[in-house]
Amino acid sequence: MKDMFIALWFFLPAGIGNMAPIGAARFPGLRNLTAPIDCGKTFRGGRLLGAHKTWRGLLSGIFFAVLTLWGQQVLVTHVAWLSNITASINYPHLPIVLLGILFGFGALGGDAVKSFFKRRAGVLPGRSWFPFDQIDYIVGSALATSFIVRLTVAQYVWAVVLGLFVHLGASYAGYLAHFKDRPI
């Protein structure tokens, strides 16, 4: 049970960072910042990443990952039971800005790498590519943060499994709230 909690807690900045581009696209003043990361470049006749991978999304994901990690550090410092359960990570001494940037970049970088292969597989933008769409942010952020914080194998496995289900639930909630056109 502790490994499950740590997996969810540790990857929360990645999850928030992964969802941030959806909200940022609806925020006044940011709506028009739609420059694609791939600068419109193509590879073998198709977009490298696609128009949905924007600098606005990447920067908002990084910002909210840092903000989330900072909030976690504050909570762990002031809530005794949370400090005890997460003691193996040593939140009070984490480099919040660097690790938050790695979480955001890893989550959205994982999504971008997956999008490259998704385009090569012929899956249209906005269409689900199960299970890769659901775990890309966990895998990317795990790789990006692993040189600062290492979890156990069990915690990484829980992160992927729980990340899959949390993503499905959040995606469906986004559909019900009219943030998304499709439930998955």
Side-chain angles (χ1 to χ4, degrees):
M1 189 71 150
K2 184 177 179 180
D3 284 342
M4 288 174 55
F5 180 81
I6 288 175
L8 280 172
W9 180 258
F10 182 72
F11 285 103
L12 183 62
I16 299 297
N18 190 51
M19 291 188 306
I22 296 169
R26 298 181 182 286
F27 191 81
L30 297 179
R31 285 186 194 134
N32 295 327
L33 299 175
T34 59
I37 292 172
D38 68 7
C39 300
K41 302 285 184 202
T42 60
F43 179 77
R44 295 187 179 176
R47 284 291 296 271
L48 196 58
L49 300 176
H52 293 113
K53 305 300 171 222
T54 66
W55 289 105
R56 173 191 60 216
L58 178 62
L59 295 176
S60 67
I62 289 171
F63 174 79
F64 280 101
V66 170
L67 190 64
T68 302
L69 189 58
W70 172 76
Q72 287 177 303
Q73 187 180 53
V74 169
L75 285 172
V76 165
T77 304
H78 292 92
V79 179
W81 70 267
L82 196 51
S83 178
N84 289 336
I85 201 166
T86 62
S88 64
I89 298 176
N90 194 10
Y91 274 90
H93 296 98
L94 289 178
I96 296 303
V97 174
L98 173 61
L99 191 58
I101 289 169
L102 292 173
F103 266 122
F105 183 78
L108 295 159
D111 184 57
V113 169
K114 180 260 323 180
S115 290
F116 174 81
F117 289 105
K118 188 175 178 178
R119 297 292 90 79
R120 306 299 73 76
V123 180
L124 296 174
R127 298 288 183 178
S128 182
W129 196 32
F130 185 85
F132 308 109
D133 279 334
Q134 290 73 32
I135 63 170
D136 56 2
Y137 71 103
I138 295 291
V139 173
S141 60
L143 291 171
T145 61
S146 65
F147 71 93
I148 293 178
V149 177
R150 292 222 175 198
L151 302 181
T152 66
V153 171
Q155 291 165 340
Y156 283 120
V157 169
W158 275 117
V160 170
V161 170
L162 294 171
L164 173 79
F165 288 106
V166 167
H167 188 280
L168 289 171
S171 184
Y172 190 69
Y175 169 73
L176 293 176
H178 304 291
F179 286 122
K180 297 184 67 172
D181 296 331
R182 293 180 178 75
I184 294 180

